Amino acid sequence: MNKQPIQKPIQSRFGAHTTAQEVIGDLSLKGKVAIVTGGYSGIGLVTTRVLASAGATVIVPVRSLEKGEAALNHIPNVEWMPMDLMEPDSIDAFAERFLASGRPLHLLILSAGVMATPLRRDRRGYESQFSTNHLGHFQLTARLWPALKQENGARVVSVSSRGHRLGGVDFDDPNFERKVYDKWKAYAQSKSANILFALELDRRGQTHGVRAFSVHPGLIPDTNLARDLREEEWGPRPILDNQGHSMTNEHHAEFKTVEQGAATSVWCAISPQLNGLGGVYCEDADIAEAVPGDSLRPDGVRPWAIDSEAASRLWRLTEEWIGIRFAAE
């Protein structure tokens, strides 16, 4: 069995203020093929633009062809195709179309997501944040697996959030069928799932040269992610104890631009500093530090998101929930 990845900073030369363009520098990605979900808005759009500017061919799944064209038609080396992460048939159609092209897939960046939405369910009855952020991306990666293996050196980047610290995956009731719906707990669950997915995918994919990473992009107010929030709800989320009392003060939390927010995704996708590494959670263009579950720090990754047994359990259950066996090993 592969060793548990070391969750410890490697002292990259980058930091919180680094932009995606600074990460990529003069690196040429000519001949590389990337897929970026959410690649037509926010940090996803910056990721698309930076990868394409370095010569990569970037394919962007879009829920709205009209919005996709408006955002992307001026960027060279970019293609877009319809896909909805909450519609399994749509995911399959996108993947089949890409596989039919015969191209390898060098970079898969799972950047699309929703945050703190009102209770919604997909047609299968699954809670929308879990469906969009985790289940849809799991299915997409499973369907694209032949193209990822074809490259023998591909990377998968799962965009998570420091919001994972608000709670892990509730394996007994992930869809809030028995407990009262809490939009922040649902968001945290989906973001913890993103980290666990990258951990298990990396373990299973190493023999095929596929490495996976999860990232926290930063607190970025200038995106559509907060479209379901009231103005007073936008901002850092406090950690609460069992009595509901705040355990930390984040009034001085630092926000990032979208260009800075895309930096860690791009770093995980292309940095030679990560050669031979994988399965780690990253922030500020470096590997993040593992911290205790009761830590008052806003940064770092919590134990429930890097638990290898939980990652393996989530993988098996996800296969059951979506009816797809992901034979990554």
Side-chain angles (χ1 to χ4, degrees):
M1 180 179 291
N2 296 324
K3 294 181 180 179
Q4 181 81 1
I6 299 175
Q7 191 65 53
K8 183 178 179 181
I10 58 174
Q11 308 306 318
S12 77
R13 59 189 179 89
F14 303 117
H17 300 289
T18 300
T19 66
Q21 188 60 60
E22 289 169 340
V23 165
I24 211 158
D26 58 1
L27 178 69
S28 173
L29 297 178
K30 188 174 182 180
K32 302 293 186 182
V33 179
I35 291 176
V36 182
T37 70
Y40 61 114
S41 67
I43 64 170
L45 177 57
V46 174
T47 302
T48 296
R49 186 172 63 242
V50 168
L51 295 178
S53 71
T57 298
V58 184
I59 298 95
V60 179
V62 297
R63 289 184 63 191
S64 164
L65 287 173
E66 182 179 1
K67 290 181 180 178
E69 182 176 7
L72 301 169
N73 65 3
H74 63 289
I75 307 176
N77 305 323
V78 176
E79 306 168 17
W80 54 93
M81 297 188 287
M83 193 190 80
D84 186 334
L85 283 167
M86 285 184 65
E87 294 289 344
D89 291 344
S90 171
I91 297 170
D92 285 350
F94 173 90
E96 288 168 6
R97 184 174 174 183
F98 177 81
L99 293 176
S101 72
R103 292 180 287 188
L105 180 56
H106 303 86
L107 306 173
L108 175 58
I109 301 180
L110 308 173
S111 190
V114 293
M115 180 177 76
T117 61
L119 178 58
R120 300 175 184 135
R121 301 188 184 277
D122 67 15
R123 290 191 294 176
R124 300 166 295 189
Y126 297 143
E127 188 274 319
S128 64
Q129 296 188 75
F130 198 63
S131 175
T132 300
N133 298 346
H134 172 60
L135 299 180
H137 279 136
F138 186 101
Q139 179 176 341
L140 178 65
T141 309
R143 296 309 196 198
L144 292 172
W145 187 243
L148 287 165
K149 288 196 300 182
Q150 183 181 341
E151 158 54 15
N152 190 28
R155 291 188 185 183
V156 178
V157 180
S158 177
V159 178
S160 180
S161 167
R162 74 175 194 170
H164 80 275
R165 68 205 176 107
L166 298 178
V169 176
D170 182 345
F171 290 102
D172 296 322
D173 188 19
N175 294 297
F176 293 84
E177 294 170 322
R178 295 184 295 277
K179 62 179 179 289
V180 175
Y181 179 69
D182 182 319
K183 64 185 179 182
W184 287 109
K185 289 291 185 182
Y187 179 65
Q189 171 178 250
S190 72
K191 295 291 101 176
S192 290
N194 290 155
I195 303 170
L196 292 170
F197 170 62
L199 176 62
E200 183 68 5
L201 177 62
D202 187 77
R203 185 188 72 80
R204 292 170 178 255
Q206 286 184 46
T207 55
H208 303 287
V210 180
R211 305 309 302 262
F213 306 86
S214 57
V215 309
H216 166 53
L219 296 175
I220 307 156
D222 191 21
T223 73
N224 291 325
L225 186 62
R227 56 186 173 271
D228 284 302
L229 297 182
R230 300 185 303 273
E231 183 176 354
E232 62 270 22
E233 291 182 297
W234 174 243
R237 301 298 303 169
I239 295 290
L240 304 179
D241 63 19
N242 292 333
Q243 286 74 45
H245 301 131
S246 178
M247 297 166 58
T248 183
N249 187 323
E250 297 186 354
H251 292 306
H252 302 292
E254 187 173 1
F255 290 89
K256 291 187 178 185
T257 67
V258 287
E259 289 79 12
Q260 293 167 342
T264 306
S265 297
V266 172
W267 183 72
C268 287
I270 60 90
S271 176
Q273 291 178 292
L274 292 170
N275 290 347
L277 301 176
V280 288
Y281 171 88
C282 302
E283 58 190 3
D284 295 338
D286 201 343
I287 298 175
E289 184 178 345
V291 300
D294 60 356
S295 173
L296 302 185
R297 291 170 49 175
D299 60 339
V301 61
R302 271 51 180 181
W304 51 80
I306 52 172
D307 183 315
S308 59
E309 292 186 5
S312 179
R313 183 183 183 189
L314 178 63
W315 187 283
R316 295 192 305 270
L317 287 172
T318 301
E319 290 181 322
E320 295 177 10
W321 290 328
I322 67 175
I324 296 174
R325 185 173 184 274
F326 188 165
E329 292 180 297

